[in-house]
């Protein structure tokens, strides 16, 4: 096992760290975390934050991933190989994502989300709780996927983005809306109805 763990980082007993993993200064890896081979975790990251909203399972980070500085991932989520984040990303519990997900700087995934393969979220994207995102989806900066039809309430209706859909800069998708395959949502649009 070839590890490069900075002496100021903390790896809790029970954490599973793969081969050739790099962990930067002052990062915290909790016990309920599994990190795949060849992954790089930057400085000041926290992986596996415990929460009562999770289901008690591990945070699983796939092989050859890159998690940049100041990123925070909660427990009970799974990410396929080659996850890449920008800086200061937050990902909440119960998120399941495929391979080659890219999350831009200041990205925010609010949990209970399902994300396919080869998805790209640019910087400053907010993915509301219970969102479902297909494969090869591109979401550009400052997009917001909402989920509460009558805020503030306990009712959550996630947005669905089907395969190959593209959401342009600063668009807002309202709760429960489905964006169909190959659809393009224009910049600054506010979408309140399904798009075929």
């Amino acid at each position: 096992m070839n590890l490069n763990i900075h002496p100021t980082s903390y790896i809790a007993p029970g954490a599973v760290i793969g081969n050739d993993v790099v962990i930067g200064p002052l990062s915290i890896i909790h016990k309920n975390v599994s990190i795949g081979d060849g992954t790089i975790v930057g400085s000041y990251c926290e992986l596996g934050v415990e929460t009562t909203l999770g289901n008690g399972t591990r945070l699983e980070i796939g092989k050859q991933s890159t998690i940049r500085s100041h990123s925070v991932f909660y427990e009970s989520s799974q990410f396929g190989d080659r996850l890449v984040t920008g800086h200061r990303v937050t990902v909440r519990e119960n998120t399941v994502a495929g391979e080659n997900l890219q999350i831009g700087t200041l990205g925010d995934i609010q949990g209970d989300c399902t994300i396919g393969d080869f998805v790209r979220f640019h910087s400053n994207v907010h993915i509301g709780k219970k969102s479902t995102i297909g494969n090869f989806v591109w979401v550009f900066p400052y997009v917001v996927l909402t989920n509460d039809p009558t805020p503030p309430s306990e009712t959550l209706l996630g947005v669905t983005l089907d395969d190959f859909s593209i959401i342009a800069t600063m668009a807002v998708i309202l709760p429960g809306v489905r964006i169909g395959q190959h659809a393009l949502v224009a910049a600054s649009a506010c979408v309140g109805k399904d798009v075929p």
Side-chain angles (χ1 to χ4, degrees), residues 52-117:
T52 58
L53 299 176
N55 58 23
T57 58
R58 287 183 179 273
L59 166 66
E60 297 180 12
I61 304 293
K63 297 176 183 176
Q64 306 298 322
S65 295
T66 300
I67 299 174
R68 292 193 170 87
S69 66
H70 297 274
S71 293
V72 177
F73 282 69
Y74 283 64
E75 66 181 354
S76 303
S77 290
Q78 300 172 347
F79 295 86
D81 295 344
R82 295 173 298 280
L83 165 70
V84 175
T85 80
H87 303 279
R88 293 178 171 21
V89 164
T90 302
V91 181
R92 293 299 306 252
E93 62 284 331
N94 303 322
T95 295
V96 177
E99 297 182 350
N100 296 286
L101 170 62
Q102 295 184 30
I103 309 169
T105 293
L106 294 170
D108 179 28
I109 299 175
Q110 280 295 297
D112 296 302
C113 294
T114 303
I115 302 167
D117 296 327

Side-chain angles (χ1 to χ4, degrees), residues 1-5 17-23 35-41:
M1 181 180 293
N2 181 19
L3 299 178
N4 184 357
I5 298 175
I17 311 296
N19 294 316
D20 301 314
V21 170
V22 175
I23 299 176
I35 299 176
D37 296 347
T39 292
I40 299 171
V41 178

Side-chain angles (χ1 to χ4, degrees), residues 30-45:
H30 292 277
K31 64 183 179 181
N32 53 350
V33 174
S34 175
I35 299 176
D37 296 347
T39 292
I40 299 171
V41 178
S43 58
Y44 296 94
C45 293

Side-chain angles (χ1 to χ4, degrees), residues 5-196:
I5 298 175
H6 194 274
T8 61
S9 64
Y10 172 73
I11 313 297
V16 178
I17 311 296
N19 294 316
D20 301 314
V21 170
V22 175
I23 299 176
L26 298 166
S27 286
I28 299 170
I29 311 299
H30 292 277
K31 64 183 179 181
N32 53 350
V33 174
S34 175
I35 299 176
D37 296 347
T39 292
I40 299 171
V41 178
S43 58
Y44 296 94
C45 293
E46 186 172 7
L47 304 184
V49 176
E50 293 185 19
T51 173
T52 58
L53 299 176
N55 58 23
T57 58
R58 287 183 179 273
L59 166 66
E60 297 180 12
I61 304 293
K63 297 176 183 176
Q64 306 298 322
S65 295
T66 300
I67 299 174
R68 292 193 170 87
S69 66
H70 297 274
S71 293
V72 177
F73 282 69
Y74 283 64
E75 66 181 354
S76 303
S77 290
Q78 300 172 347
F79 295 86
D81 295 344
R82 295 173 298 280
L83 165 70
V84 175
T85 80
H87 303 279
R88 293 178 171 21
V89 164
T90 302
V91 181
R92 293 299 306 252
E93 62 284 331
N94 303 322
T95 295
V96 177
E99 297 182 350
N100 296 286
L101 170 62
Q102 295 184 30
I103 309 169
T105 293
L106 294 170
D108 179 28
I109 299 175
Q110 280 295 297
D112 296 302
C113 294
T114 303
I115 302 167
D117 296 327
F118 295 94
V119 171
R120 184 167 186 181
F121 302 139
H122 288 251
S123 298
N124 293 282
V125 167
H126 174 86
I127 306 297
K129 203 172 183 75
K130 297 196 172 184
S131 296
T132 301
I133 296 167
N135 302 303
F136 297 96
V137 172
W138 277 46
V139 179
F140 283 84
Y142 299 101
V143 166
V144 177
L145 305 185
T146 65
N147 59 14
D148 189 345
T150 55
S153 78
E154 297 299 318
T155 301
L156 297 179
L157 301 173
V159 167
T160 299
L161 306 180
D162 285 336
D163 296 351
F164 301 100
S165 57
I166 300 170
I167 314 299
T169 300
M170 297 183 72
V172 176
I173 314 298
L174 295 182
V177 167
R178 182 178 205 120
I179 306 298
Q181 287 190 21
H182 299 282
L184 169 62
V185 172
S188 298
C190 182
V191 183
K193 295 181 180 178
D194 290 356
V195 176

